[in-house]
Amino acid sequence: MIRICFYDTKPYDKIYFDELKEKYEIEIDYFESKLNHKTAVLAKGYEAAVAFVNDTIDSKTINILIENDLKLIAMRCAGYNNVDVKAAAGKIPVVRVPAYSPYAVAEHAFALLLTLNRKTHRAYVRTRDFNFSLNELVGFDLHGKTMGVVGTGKIGRVFADICKGFGMNILAYDPYPAKDFGVSYVTFDEICRQSDIISLHCPLTKETFHIINKDTISNMKNGVYIINTSRGALIDSEDLLNGIKDEKIGGACLDVYEEETELFYEDMSYKIIKDDILSRIISMPNVIVSSHQAFLTKEALYNIAETTLQNVNHYFKNNIIDNEISYKNSK
Ligand code: NAI
């Protein structure tokens, strides 16, 4: 049996990992704590550690894991901006789940858009209180509007296909345009100038950090909607807030937030939230925030468990590193 430890465990993770662990001859101990330099020592005695999007896998954490004889870090997610890949290079392999359900994320992004635009969240609350007024519930037709898709990888392409089904015009920006995808590629500047709605589906890198900021917002159409289901730090949150206050931005759908690590996935309803920017953003009537849940479908959770356990099993049984995050590719 291969022994692994599992950080930042939630009940919905356990269901699928427990279902599949015997098939891959893996024993799992679940920890509720996130992985960081303080909790890395818990990995002593295990062969691999399984981690997630809000774990802090910096050089300090990596060194402690190695000192404790850990052999593999298995990310149970696609994005890996929270891993210091350079610090791990040549010392410990880091693997990930490159794709588990682009549909889950793309459908959630579109669900947020439909909710915000047609104000179904408000209608639901109103009618439960027998308030049948329609005041302030006016939306707009998506048909004929222009959607700017930033990043046309697995998720961006599914999202663009959903938009096409709604009769929207699609503009796309990607430094590596897909040749077999029938959309018009333009510059990021054109996306800003021409789109009624902009949806972010690119990874967080040095190039994309704060790609939405006061300068790029100033180029956008008045009343633009911004959707972010990728990574919080693609957006400068303070600039977004100012854009909403100035009524330049007409609405925002946010599944991610740049300072989400200590907040998202936890019940903070009885806590004093110290983050004034997030509090103010959430208070806006034209903003919907979900708690990094775009991936949360049964199919995605099953695929995450299956690929993560396969990655671990292949490494220890066959010495094959599947789905490695290599420093060379991440630069
Ligand atoms: P992917 O790797 O298939 O596609 C990413 C695309 O972004 C590629 O086509 C790439 O060329 C493009 N790209 C790279 N640099 C860019 C730039 N500077 N500007 C515009 N595009 C750029 O990745 P996938 O699976 O489509 O995922 C996209 C992102 O979605 C992930 O990086 C992750 O951050 C996020 N994600 C969020 C989840 C959630 O639950 N909210 C779940 C899964 C992924």
Side-chain angles (χ1 to χ4, degrees):
M1 279 288 198
I2 305 158
R3 292 194 68 218
I4 67 173
C5 60
F6 196 103
Y7 283 89
D8 199 12
T9 310
K10 296 288 181 273
Y12 45 81
D13 295 315
K14 279 182 78 170
I15 297 169
Y16 299 93
F17 277 85
D18 279 346
E19 190 181 320
L20 290 164
K21 65 184 179 186
E22 271 160 35
K23 176 175 160 194
Y24 291 101
E25 297 174 9
I26 291 174
E27 209 177 288
I28 309 176
D29 281 338
Y30 294 102
F31 304 153
E32 282 185 16
S33 23
K34 289 192 173 61
L35 174 57
N36 55 42
H37 70 273
K38 291 184 191 149
T39 59
V41 69
L42 295 173
K44 191 177 175 61
Y46 295 95
E47 282 154 288
V50 172
F52 198 45
V53 292
N54 285 327
D55 292 313
T56 309
I57 308 163
D58 54 13
S59 62
K60 212 167 161 185
T61 305
I62 289 168
N63 288 336
I64 298 169
L65 291 173
I66 294 167
E67 277 162 25
N68 284 286
D69 219 18
L70 198 89
K71 300 284 185 290
L72 179 73
I73 300 172
M75 302 302 295
R76 57 180 195 278
C77 50
Y80 51 88
N81 52 285
N82 56 330
V83 182
D84 186 338
V85 183
K86 189 177 174 190
K91 295 185 196 153
I92 185 167
V94 186
V95 293
R96 67 174 181 135
V97 182
Y100 39 86
S101 171
Y103 311 103
V105 182
E107 288 170 15
H108 187 76
F110 210 83
L112 291 177
L113 171 61
L114 285 174
T115 305
L116 184 69
N117 178 32
R118 301 308 300 272
K119 300 161 179 64
T120 39
H121 57 311
R122 291 183 170 261
Y124 172 79
V125 172
R126 277 190 195 183
T127 54
R128 289 179 73 82
D129 201 25
F130 299 97
N131 173 355
F132 299 113
S133 159
L134 298 185
N135 293 339
E136 307 301 336
L137 296 187
V138 180
F140 56 83
D141 287 5
L142 292 173
H143 183 93
K145 298 293 184 300
T146 298
M147 174 66 76
V149 180
V150 180
T152 53
K154 292 175 284 297
I155 296 169
R157 288 173 68 148
V158 173
F159 181 80
D161 283 341
I162 294 172
C163 296
K164 282 184 198 165
F166 274 71
M168 302 185 77
N169 308 315
I170 315 294
L171 292 178
Y173 169 67
D174 193 310
Y176 308 99
K179 291 190 181 74
D180 56 342
F181 190 45
V183 297
S184 310
Y185 280 96
V186 295
T187 61
F188 181 65
D189 189 56
E190 284 301 305
I191 290 271
C192 294
R193 288 183 197 285
Q194 295 188 38
S195 305
D196 299 297
I197 303 161
I198 296 172
S199 194
L200 304 176
H201 299 288
C202 55
L204 175 61
T205 61
K206 275 189 211 113
E207 289 74 39
T208 60
F209 177 78
H210 285 183
I211 193 170
I212 305 290
N213 56 52
K214 61 177 182 317
D215 296 329
T216 54
I217 291 171
S218 71
N219 288 337
M220 292 177 193
K221 282 188 174 179
N222 291 335
V224 63
Y225 273 25
I226 296 173
I227 307 171
N228 188 7
T229 54
S230 276
R231 285 293 180 268
L234 296 175
I235 298 183
D236 183 319
S237 309
E238 195 168 357
D239 290 352
L240 178 83
L241 176 60
N242 289 331
I244 296 168
K245 280 158 82 175
D246 295 345
E247 300 184 25
K248 172 79 181 174
I249 294 171
C253 303
L254 309 173
D255 185 52
V256 286
Y257 173 64
E258 57 182 325
E259 300 297 335
E260 71 180 46
T261 306
E262 298 302 322
L263 299 168
F264 282 20
Y265 301 130
E266 306 301 331
D267 178 0
M268 304 297 287
S269 53
Y270 292 96
K271 302 267 168 61
I272 304 295
I273 302 294
K274 304 271 171 26
D275 186 326
D276 290 350
I277 294 178
L278 179 65
S279 302
R280 192 78 174 95
I281 287 175
I282 286 179
S283 77
M284 292 291 174
N286 53 352
V287 172
I288 293 198
V289 174
S290 55
S291 179
H292 206 142
Q293 73 171 74
F295 71 99
L296 202 64
T297 65
K298 290 176 186 171
E299 292 81 358
L301 288 170
Y302 184 91
N303 293 338
I304 287 171
E306 173 115 78
T307 306
T308 305
L309 294 175
Q310 236 167 38
N311 286 343
V312 172
N313 180 286
H314 279 190
Y315 181 65
F316 290 103
K317 292 271 166 68
N318 310 321
N319 207 14
I320 297 169
I321 312 182
D322 286 333
N323 302 315
E324 186 173 21
I325 304 171
S326 100
Y327 175 51
K328 208 169 117 240
N329 296 336
S330 73
K331 276 192 283 188

